Amino acid sequence: MPMVNVNVQPEIIRWALNQTQEEKLGEKLLGNIANWLNGTKAPTFHQIEEFSRKSNIPLGYFFLQTPPAEEIKLLEYRTVDSIQLANPSRNLIDTMNEMEKVQDWMREYRQDLGFDILPVVGCMKGQKEADAIVSRIREDLEIPESWYENCRNSRDAFMYIRERLEECGVLVMMSGIVGKNTHRVLDVNEFRAFAMVDDWAPLIFINTGDSNGAKLFSLLHEAAHIWIGENDLYNDRHSRADGVSDLERICNAVAGELLVPKRVFLEKWNDAEEDVPKAVAELAKQLRCGEIVVARKAMDCGKIGKDAYNQIVQNAIDNFRKMKEIRESSGGNYYNTQGARLDKCFVKALCESIHMGRTSYTEAYRLTNTSRKTFSEVARNLGGV
């Protein structure tokens, strides 16, 4: 069968190349792309299919006359400027698009069933005092100052806060990959989480490539954004102490106080040893949170300097990276893993909608990245059926 050449605009090829990490394309394809751009060769349909597959750019985009104007509103709300988010990966873009579909479905579902708008969304808009926001979130989530005492560790604490948020109507979705494609891993250096504000279906997405302590902080950081009523794309990998907006400082302070109350910190830190890293690690263990948030509280309270804080942050990131590299992959229970990615209330709503005849099983599989078998198991585990 003869190779069929296709006409692809050079502008489209350049745009697609800028959208892709070159190491993912391979030397042979990069060589072909160079020939297409200098006009010595024309691409075949098979080669464009390969380009599409390796770049994760929809095949149809390659046959447009000009690059598509992809409006990614959430990029405007990134925590810190970065080269990565100036040119967001297809993985991030596709994950945002998936979550928009989930949010759109849930909004329509709640509106059709006569739900009122959620009172927590934007209820602290314009509030500049972190303590006032902390008090309101504790009240709405019905958690005491010492809520962490009922949790075994930071993972347990994350699940507890997630359940409280879901009770308030906030969707909490999480994953470390795009859809169900294990080859498309979400880069925690590109983003840790994002929050999409909506009166009926506010949504928080957590990148599970982060450590348990970091995911817990991200969850509460994004919760603060929901209560304030501002979208967020959280990409501050190093939890920097400066170089962020006033809004981000407020949200960081809210998450920090919810995890490490100042009163409790000062009471416990006074008994701390002179070995700062050891004291931080011990207090993080007691409060069921990450070491970075404890170190930040110590710096804010004048107990350690900025250099010591930055060193603890870097050590925590390095240690997590090492643990991730040497950790044995046990696989775990597939259905539990799938269930953990999905919001419990969202799955229950899908099941109710299916039984009401409003939603087809096919649409439910698409929204949850499952099949007939996996959706049934996940729904059963989450109490949807």
Side-chain angles (χ1 to χ4, degrees), residues 122-246:
C123 64
M124 300 303 286
K125 194 172 188 68
Q127 177 58 253
K128 304 297 184 184
E129 296 297 325
D131 286 346
I133 301 171
V134 168
S135 295
R136 177 60 189 263
I137 291 178
R138 281 181 182 149
E139 178 184 342
D140 289 334
L141 297 186
E142 297 181 355
I143 58 174
E145 184 184 74
S146 58
W147 63 269
Y148 49 83
E149 291 179 351
N150 295 320
C151 304
R152 294 168 296 176
N153 48 42
S154 57
R155 182 179 181 277
D156 199 25
F158 178 92
M159 297 307 297
Y160 174 75
I161 294 297
R162 181 184 189 180
E163 288 176 2
R164 303 313 303 151
L165 285 168
E166 289 174 342
E167 286 295 316
C168 286
V170 179
L171 301 174
V172 180
M173 306 286 282
M174 52 193 285
S175 184
I177 59 175
V178 181
K180 52 186 176 182
N181 189 337
T182 56
H183 298 291
R184 299 185 64 187
V185 177
L186 300 178
D187 184 0
V188 74
N189 291 307
E190 182 177 33
F191 81 104
R192 301 172 69 176
F194 56 78
M196 299 162 58
V197 174
D198 183 88
D199 286 338
W200 276 272
L203 185 148
I204 294 172
F205 181 88
I206 301 293
N207 185 343
T208 58
D210 233 341
S211 66
N212 287 327
K215 285 184 288 191
L216 175 58
F217 184 86
S218 295
L219 183 62
L220 287 170
H221 177 97
E222 301 299 39
H225 274 277
I226 298 294
W227 263 249
I228 292 171
E230 293 284 347
N231 292 338
D232 182 49
L233 177 52
Y234 189 41
N235 67 319
D236 186 4
R237 182 72 170 113
H238 290 79
S239 301
R240 61 188 65 194
D242 48 26
V244 296
S245 67
D246 289 342

Side-chain angles (χ1 to χ4, degrees), residues 353-374:
S353 186
I354 290 170
H355 295 152
M356 292 163 58
R358 293 182 70 258
T359 300
S360 67
Y361 276 104
T362 301
E363 184 178 9
Y365 305 155
R366 179 180 59 81
L367 287 167
T368 56
N369 287 302
T370 58
S371 62
R372 186 199 310 192
K373 179 184 178 183
T374 55

Side-chain angles (χ1 to χ4, degrees), residues 28-310:
K28 183 177 179 181
L29 181 55
L30 283 172
N32 286 332
I33 291 171
N35 290 332
W36 305 339
L37 290 174
N38 65 28
T40 57
K41 286 185 179 180
T44 67
F45 184 77
H46 175 74
Q47 289 171 332
I48 293 299
E49 278 189 316
E50 181 188 10
F51 196 177
S52 170
R53 185 178 67 256
K54 289 185 174 180
S55 65
N56 295 308
I57 294 174
L59 181 61
Y61 284 11
F62 285 89
F63 299 98
L64 299 174
Q65 292 301 303
T66 58
E70 292 183 293
E71 189 176 359
I72 310 168
K73 295 180 180 178
L74 207 56
L75 291 179
E76 300 172 16
Y77 299 94
R78 56 181 177 264
T79 302
V80 294
D81 289 330
S82 69
I83 295 174
Q84 287 160 313
L85 283 180
N87 295 291
S89 70
R90 294 307 311 178
N91 290 348
L92 174 56
I93 292 171
D94 290 348
T95 298
M96 288 178 176
N97 288 337
E98 279 190 7
M99 292 305 107
E100 283 183 356
K101 291 182 176 70
V102 168
Q103 186 177 61
D104 289 346
W105 186 92
M106 197 65 168
R107 180 196 307 112
E108 183 178 343
Y109 172 81
R110 286 176 170 171
Q111 288 177 337
D112 287 352
L113 268 63
F115 280 59
D116 291 329
I117 61 174
L118 299 178
V120 301
V121 179
C123 64
M124 300 303 286
K125 194 172 188 68
Q127 177 58 253
K128 304 297 184 184
E129 296 297 325
D131 286 346
I133 301 171
V134 168
S135 295
R136 177 60 189 263
I137 291 178
R138 281 181 182 149
E139 178 184 342
D140 289 334
L141 297 186
E142 297 181 355
I143 58 174
E145 184 184 74
S146 58
W147 63 269
Y148 49 83
E149 291 179 351
N150 295 320
C151 304
R152 294 168 296 176
N153 48 42
S154 57
R155 182 179 181 277
D156 199 25
F158 178 92
M159 297 307 297
Y160 174 75
I161 294 297
R162 181 184 189 180
E163 288 176 2
R164 303 313 303 151
L165 285 168
E166 289 174 342
E167 286 295 316
C168 286
V170 179
L171 301 174
V172 180
M173 306 286 282
M174 52 193 285
S175 184
I177 59 175
V178 181
K180 52 186 176 182
N181 189 337
T182 56
H183 298 291
R184 299 185 64 187
V185 177
L186 300 178
D187 184 0
V188 74
N189 291 307
E190 182 177 33
F191 81 104
R192 301 172 69 176
F194 56 78
M196 299 162 58
V197 174
D198 183 88
D199 286 338
W200 276 272
L203 185 148
I204 294 172
F205 181 88
I206 301 293
N207 185 343
T208 58
D210 233 341
S211 66
N212 287 327
K215 285 184 288 191
L216 175 58
F217 184 86
S218 295
L219 183 62
L220 287 170
H221 177 97
E222 301 299 39
H225 274 277
I226 298 294
W227 263 249
I228 292 171
E230 293 284 347
N231 292 338
D232 182 49
L233 177 52
Y234 189 41
N235 67 319
D236 186 4
R237 182 72 170 113
H238 290 79
S239 301
R240 61 188 65 194
D242 48 26
V244 296
S245 67
D246 289 342
L247 174 60
E248 289 309 307
R249 276 191 283 274
I250 291 171
C251 291
N252 283 337
V254 169
E257 183 63 18
L258 288 166
L259 289 169
V260 185
K262 184 177 181 179
R263 180 192 65 78
V264 175
F265 169 80
L266 291 174
E267 179 182 297
K268 292 182 178 294
W269 188 267
N270 288 336
D271 299 325
E273 300 178 22
E274 292 184 4
D275 186 338
V276 170
K278 183 178 179 181
V280 167
E282 179 58 32
L283 195 47
K285 187 176 181 181
Q286 291 180 41
L287 299 177
R288 283 57 159 180
C289 64
E291 294 179 14
I292 293 176
V293 68
V294 173
R296 179 57 186 267
K297 184 68 72 171
M299 183 177 69
D300 290 345
C301 291
K303 300 298 184 180
I304 64 173
K306 187 175 179 182
D307 288 345
Y309 169 74
N310 288 336

Side-chain angles (χ1 to χ4, degrees), residues 308-326:
Y309 169 74
N310 288 336
Q311 188 60 55
I312 291 171
V313 170
Q314 192 58 55
N315 288 345
I317 292 173
D318 291 343
N319 289 338
F320 175 65
R321 187 181 298 120
K322 290 175 185 175
M323 287 176 60
K324 207 171 182 182
E325 289 173 355
I326 64 176

